[in-house]
Each structure stands twice: as C-alpha cells, then as structure tokens.
Amino acid sequence: MNQYITACSNVHSLDSAIFAFSQVHNPNVFVYNAIIGAFLNLFRPLEGLRYYVDMLRNGVTPTSYTFSALIKSCRVLSVVGFGETVHGQVLKNGLALHVHVQTSLVDFYSSLGRVIQSRKMFDEMTDRDGFAWSSMISAYARAGDLDSARSVFDEMPEKNNASWNTIIHGYVEAGNVESAEELFRIMPKRDVISWTTMINCYSKHKLYREALELFDEMKRTGTRPDGVTMATVISACAHLGVLDQGKEMHLYVMQNRFKIDVHIGSALIDMYAKCGVLERALVVFYKLEDKNLFCWSSVIDGLAVHGYAEEALAMFDKMDKEKIEPNRVIFVSVLAACTHAGLVEEGNRRFLEMTSKYSILPEIEHYGCMVDLLCRVGLIEEALVLIRSMRMQPNSVIWGALLGGCKLHKNLEIARVAVDRLMILETDSSGYFTLLINMYAEANRWADVARIRATMKERGVEKILPGSSWIEVEKKMHQFAACDNYHPASQEIYLVLDVLDSQLKLIGYAPDFDFVL
DNA sequence: GTAGGGTTAG
C-alpha cells in the first residue's frame, strides 16, 4: 500500500492516495510516511502534519523518513512552532545524528532566516555528505552571506555539481555576475543546471543577449536543454522582443516533446504578447492543460497592453471564478488595463477590492497606476489626495505620473508641487525639468523658464539623448532614433511617415504644437 | 518497501 500511495502521488492523484490510505487497517510507519510524502509533493503539506499527529495517537513510532518529509512540510508552510516541536521529537526519537534529518533541519532553519541555527545543525553533523554541504552553502547564500557560503564551499572536500551550482546561484542572487561567471568557467563539469543557472544569471541582470548566446554555446558543447532551460530562454526572448528567436524556442519545445507546463506556458504567452502577436499568446493560453497564476497574469497583461481593457478585466473575473488567488503583480496589469481605457470607476473599485476582497495591501506600483489613471482623466486634485494618503513615501514614478497629468491638463500649481519633489528625488534626470520648462513657456512665464534653466545648469543636469527603438524583421535588427537618417531605407521610411501623417490629418488628428517652442 | 541539496515562468 505504501508503494501504491507513492505511485498515486507521482501521477498527481491525491484523492486515490487518500482513499488507499483509508482502506488500510492499522497503517504502519511505511504507509504513514507515504501519505505524508504524498501531501507534501502535491502541495498540501498541512494535511501531512495532521496525519503525523494521527500517527502518534495510534502509537506508531516515526522514523528518519517521517522526519525528513515532516520537516520539509514545516519549511514550506513556514510553521516555526510546529517545526521546533518536530525538532524536539527528532531528539526524543534518537535521530539527532541522522544525516537526512539533520540536512532537513539545516534547510528548515535557513528558510526561516535563522542561519545561525542552520550552522549549529551543520556543525553537529558527524558525517556530512554532498547534500549536507550544499544545504549549508545554500543556507548562507539565502541569508545573503556569500563570504560564509564561499568559505563552506572552499572547505568542502569533494565538490559535486550541486555545490558548484549552489554557490554560482548564490552569487547570481547577490548580484555578483563576475564571480558567477568565473566559477562557471572553471568548474570541472557543467551539467544542464549549471548552464541554466548561468543563462538565468544573465537574464536576471538584464543581459538578455548574453543569455541567448550562452544558450547557443550550451547546445554547441552538447548539453541538452530541459524544460527549465527553455522557460528561461523564452523569457529572455520576451524581454528582447525577438519574435523569430522566440518562435524557434517554441518549435524546439514542441519538437523535443517537452510538456508545455505552467513555466514554459506563461513564458510563451508573455513572449508572444510582448512581441506583438497577441493571437498566438491566446492560443498558447487556451491550449494549456493546467493554468496557474503566472499564466493568467501573462495573458491579462498581454490583453491590457494591447488595449483590450474590457477583455483583460473579464479574464481576471474568469480567473477569480476558478478560485485562483490573485497577488500584487496581477493587480498592476488589472489597474493598467483600467488606465489604458480611462475606466476610472472600474479602476477605483478594483483598487479598493484589492484590500477588501483579497487582503493585498497596495504597493507603490499600484498607487502609480491609480495616480496615472486619475491624472489622465483630469482628476489632478484627487490624484494628489491619493498621494498624500499613501502608506509609503511617494517615489519619482508617482510624482512623474502626477506631473504628466498636470502637463496634459495644464495644471501649473500642482506641477510645481510635483517638480519640487522630483528635484529632490531625481536630481540628475532632465526629463521632468524639461516638462516643467515647457509648461511655463506655454503660460508665457519666461522668468520661471530662465530660473529653472539656471537650476539645471547649476546642478549639472544634462539633457539626455532621445530614446531609440528597434524592431526585428526577418532576423535582422533595425534601430531608430528620433530624426535620424542612419537606416539605409530612411528615405523610404520618411516617405511612409508623410503618407501616414496626411492620413491622420484626414481623419481629424490635430497635432499638439504646444511644446514646439 | 520510503527520504534530503542545486536551475525555471508573470
């Protein structure tokens, strides 16, 4: 029966596992271990804890197997008190020197941020194996103490791949790309996890080109990517907006019969949406067997940025019906959808529901969305009231959104308030100053224009170069900056722009010359 | 008869 229960767990059939367990008279420790493990594997660790209590009531003595699963359950649940009780039971049952149990305790304490306790567990170990060493390295890395992590790594007698990968990942998380690169290059034998860790390193630090180059190198040197690698590189394609390469990755996934799980699925949805092919994003979304919050989040954001506000909100409501709990990230997309469509009432309602219905406290980015929403429709005073009510210090994004609204609706008074703050927060950015200068110029207040110009000069604020944009067409990158003539086809391009310009005017578009001084 | 560490998505 214990093997049957484990088999049920492996095919994600928790109901069958529970039923099987219920059919066992006087389950022994093997059967209990199996059901506790099944609950842990199928993301319901709390029930595992209940079965453990049941097990003790029935006089069944736990073993090292029981405790390693149980301690991990406490770890994923972050239940400190129960975990410590379990630790007590470990001692009581004479398992304090069992290497599997000790390793779980190292992980348990480090996951709760108690790395000193982890170290204590590690020091008590009489025979440490590779798992134990890696756990200790990971514990220090989680605590952000890379020096200690490195010391443990350097002391480790027979380093295995996991320990190399752990320390590399630690450097990645700590933002130390150079050390990660160095260790990656000198490690004796790179496996798929090493490559994926390093590809992720580049992605995490916005070096997406490097990420894709390393992926090519990985394939050239004969390591086969797995699903985790593919999710990582598809995401890099999304950030770069490279549709052709994104499609190639999708094809690779299909040809190699990888399951399109929630990781690859949400990466693909995001990639297609960010590359402008919302239809394909939707196809991937609807074909997914299992959808989690990430999948919904990608598709809702895709709809929102493509201007389908109503559809994005409808999608959110559909997700809600499926009992998937939203988080703070998805609300940024929901509120952005309202902003793009100018849905003030709707946005306000959703903003309030965030806290009242879902117990999510608004973060600064949500306030940013709301300020933007209110400002765009001209509710500048209301936006300022909202800013004053914020439970954190407004940042430059908030004041910038307010200033943008002031510009749009020509509110010089509140613009001054915003710029005063921006002068403190973003001393080296010229954009906001320029905006204010334009507003004063528009109102013919030339003395103020001169005053701000002087302030800018005094502070050494340089006007930054205009932003550039780029698009990939048939695997070739085309880059543009405002008014440039660098592109070989620029003459033709300007011709098309002229045509578009006349067509816009024909359908009633009037350009805003307010800021052409 | 069972278990522990290292990589992934919005």
Side-chain angles (χ1 to χ4, degrees), chain A residues 232-278:
Chain A
T232 312
V233 290
I234 292 165
S235 158
C237 292
H239 283 280
L240 287 168
V242 288
L243 181 58
D244 282 314
Q245 283 186 74
K247 280 182 180 168
E248 265 175 43
M249 302 297 182
H250 192 174
L251 195 66
Y252 188 94
V253 165
M254 309 263 272
Q255 283 175 338
N256 290 278
R257 307 278 157 102
F258 286 127
K259 182 173 164 30
I260 301 201
D261 64 0
V262 288
H263 293 271
I264 296 179
S266 46
L268 280 174
I269 294 164
D270 186 50
M271 185 273 292
Y272 281 125
K274 289 224 165 58
C275 292
V277 203
L278 186 61

Side-chain angles (χ1 to χ4, degrees), chain A residues 168-177 180 195-212 214 228 231-233 235-237 239-240 294:
Chain A
I168 292 171
H169 182 242
Y171 280 125
V172 174
E173 292 297 310
N176 188 341
V177 181
W195 286 99
T196 308
T197 302
M198 205 55 216
I199 293 170
N200 177 51
C201 168
Y202 288 132
S203 249
K204 191 151 246 158
H205 295 89
K206 300 193 193 300
L207 302 163
Y208 305 111
R209 292 257 158 242
E210 285 81 352
L212 294 186
L214 195 65
V228 179
T232 312
V233 290
S235 158
C237 292
H239 283 280
L240 287 168
F294 283 80

Side-chain angles (χ1 to χ4, degrees), chain A residues 8 76 80 132 145 150 168 188 211 249 314 364 382 393 426 439 459 475 491:
Chain A
C8 290
V76 301
V80 188
D145 183 355
R150 183 59 183 266
I168 292 171
M249 302 297 182
I364 199 142
E382 284 82 349
Q393 283 292 321
E426 293 261 320
M439 289 182 73
R459 297 193 183 173
K475 306 194 180 191
Q491 285 211 321

Side-chain angles (χ1 to χ4, degrees), chain A residues 393-433:
Chain A
Q393 283 292 321
N395 61 12
S396 61
V397 178
I398 300 284
W399 293 116
L402 185 72
L403 182 60
C406 292
K407 175 206 146 198
L408 198 62
H409 296 280
K410 307 190 197 306
N411 187 328
L412 258 174
E413 275 58 49
I414 298 186
R416 278 238 48 162
V417 178
V419 170
D420 279 345
R421 310 312 297 242
L422 284 164
M423 283 175 171
I424 302 163
L425 293 165
E426 293 261 320
T427 41
D428 53 351
S429 150
S430 69
Y432 303 118
F433 285 107

